[in-house]
Each structure stands twice: as C-alpha cells, then as structure tokens.
Amino acid sequence: MHIELTSRVAIVTGGANGIGVATARRLAASGAHVVIWDRVPDAGARVVAELTDAGHRALFIATDVTNRASVEAAVAQTVAACGGIDVLINNAGITRDAQLVKVKDGAASGGMSEADFDAVIDVNLKGVFNCTQAVVPYLVQRGGGRIVNASSVVALNGNFGQTNYVATKAGVIGMTKVWARELGKRGITVNAVAPGFIATEMTAKMPAAALEGMQAHTPVGRLGSPEDVANAYCFLVSDQAAFINGAVLTVDGGLVIGT
C-alpha cells in the first residue's frame, strides 16, 4: 500500500531510539516532515542527520514529555519551524520492572519502589496526556489530524513484574477511547497500537532462553521488528485509515491468541 504524507508535519515522541527511529524513517519515506521529540540530543541529532542526508525533512527538539513547560515549548518550536502540526505519535515510554511485593518468612522483603512506579506513570501516561493536550489545538487549526498512542499487549493480559508498565498501557487504551469520542467531531482520529515482543535494544539484553520463550509463544515464530510497529503507525496516520477511530491494533504476531 502506497502511503502519501508529503504535506504532513508528524511528531514522534521518543523518536531517537528503537521503534521511534523506525517510525521516523517510515514517515519520512512517505514524505512527512518528521519532528522528533526526545530527551537524548545526541541520538536525536544522528537520526535527523540520517534523514536529511537522504533528502527528507526532519527536525529534532529536546523534549521531556513529563514536563508541561518543555512540551509547550516543543509545540511552539515545531509550529514556528514547520507551520503547523498534523500528526502526533505518542511513542515515548520507559520500563522499571519489579514484582509488586516480595514476601519472605511471612514479611515483605522487597518489591516495586514508589519512585519506579511514579517514573513510569509520568512518562508513559502523563507524558501522553501532556503531549496530546498541548498538540490538539493545532490539529484543530488544521481542520483535523491523527493521534496514535503506544500501548502494549500486556495491557490486555497483564505481565509478571510490570504493575506500573501495565497500568500505563491499559490507561493509554482508556484515554485513546475517550479522545476518539471527544475529538472525532473535530476531524481528529485517535487510535492505539499494542506491540507484542519486539526486537529492540532492550530485548537484545535479555537472556537467550527468555527470547526463545517469547518466540515460542508467538504463533508466527519470531519477534517483531521495530519496522512492523512503524508500519502500523504509518497506516493509522494515513488517509487510508480515515474511518478508523478508537481502535487498538495489536502488532504481536498472534501472541494474544498464542498465550
């Protein structure tokens, strides 16, 4: 399917690494003016250099999605440089995994810290709220737009040791459905993508046995690639997806039915 995004200005949060980089490349290849919001300037600059060297339009803005002032400054800089905003992909996310509580000899011996719980909530949930609320007025000015939020298959089934992460990704699905109702009449569609096990730098650090287990539970017999998720993002922001709103697209190789 040919996707044409030549006239679109597309923000990708967390666009300097992993799935974000693949998404920036995919959007740029479809003609979008890609704006990367990330907290890692060196990595962001490298991605922008790669895209511009290939003849694409790209911009990096150092942004902390948990900080409303930083987000608002990034919005202002994006609009000043690009003339407006058409697409927001809320891709930024972190993990801080731990069991809820560990019990030994009848007493708590450890568990998820409040700091780790709060950190994941701030980036994965509040960050999506901050960016979306700040960008929506500019989508309205354009007469419509596209918002895609990063959820996860763990939001649908839970996952051991990920109370904070699962809570945020389930929350993202809830917000997606609310915003689809609120913003659809403005010509803005809001959808979510729920990846399964994706081969990124994070999963590459996992033990081989764990990776083999992931593949064994995935009916297609492999981990997903960042490009698999990027393709889903790109489709949902395209004209071909104009009547898709409030949906959760799983990109998991059938993992949900395979568990």
Side-chain angles (χ1 to χ4, degrees), residues 3 11 216-217:
I3 293 176
I11 296 167
H217 281 87

PDB file of all heavy atoms in Angstrom, residues 3 11 216-217:
ATOM      1  N   ILE A   3       1.522   4.947   0.815  1.00  0.00           N
ATOM      2  CA  ILE A   3       1.039   5.956   1.751  1.00  0.00           C
ATOM      3  C   ILE A   3       1.732   7.271   1.456  1.00  0.00           C
ATOM      4  O   ILE A   3       2.967   7.338   1.417  1.00  0.00           O
ATOM      5  CB  ILE A   3       1.285   5.516   3.204  1.00  0.00           C
ATOM      6  CG1 ILE A   3       0.417   4.300   3.530  1.00  0.00           C
ATOM      7  CG2 ILE A   3       0.999   6.656   4.180  1.00  0.00           C
ATOM      8  CD1 ILE A   3       0.645   3.714   4.906  1.00  0.00           C
ATOM      9  N   ILE A  11       4.892  14.567  14.476  1.00  0.00           N
ATOM     10  CA  ILE A  11       5.715  14.493  15.690  1.00  0.00           C
ATOM     11  C   ILE A  11       5.812  13.038  16.138  1.00  0.00           C
ATOM     12  O   ILE A  11       4.796  12.334  16.209  1.00  0.00           O
ATOM     13  CB  ILE A  11       5.104  15.338  16.814  1.00  0.00           C
ATOM     14  CG1 ILE A  11       5.086  16.819  16.434  1.00  0.00           C
ATOM     15  CG2 ILE A  11       5.862  15.136  18.131  1.00  0.00           C
ATOM     16  CD1 ILE A  11       4.216  17.667  17.348  1.00  0.00           C
ATOM     17  N   ALA A 216       8.568 -18.720  21.155  1.00  0.00           N
ATOM     18  CA  ALA A 216       7.750 -19.926  21.232  1.00  0.00           C
ATOM     19  C   ALA A 216       6.282 -19.604  21.478  1.00  0.00           C
ATOM     20  O   ALA A 216       5.391 -20.355  21.070  1.00  0.00           O
ATOM     21  CB  ALA A 216       8.283 -20.841  22.343  1.00  0.00           C
ATOM     22  N   HIS A 217       6.018 -18.495  22.164  1.00  0.00           N
ATOM     23  CA  HIS A 217       4.642 -18.097  22.451  1.00  0.00           C
ATOM     24  C   HIS A 217       4.041 -17.212  21.360  1.00  0.00           C
ATOM     25  O   HIS A 217       2.884 -16.806  21.449  1.00  0.00           O
ATOM     26  CB  HIS A 217       4.573 -17.357  23.787  1.00  0.00           C
ATOM     27  CG  HIS A 217       4.611 -18.258  24.970  1.00  0.00           C
ATOM     28  ND1 HIS A 217       5.793 -18.683  25.533  1.00  0.00           N
ATOM     29  CD2 HIS A 217       3.615 -18.853  25.684  1.00  0.00           C
ATOM     30  CE1 HIS A 217       5.530 -19.479  26.558  1.00  0.00           C
ATOM     31  NE2 HIS A 217       4.221 -19.606  26.670  1.00  0.00           N
TER      32      HIS A 217
END
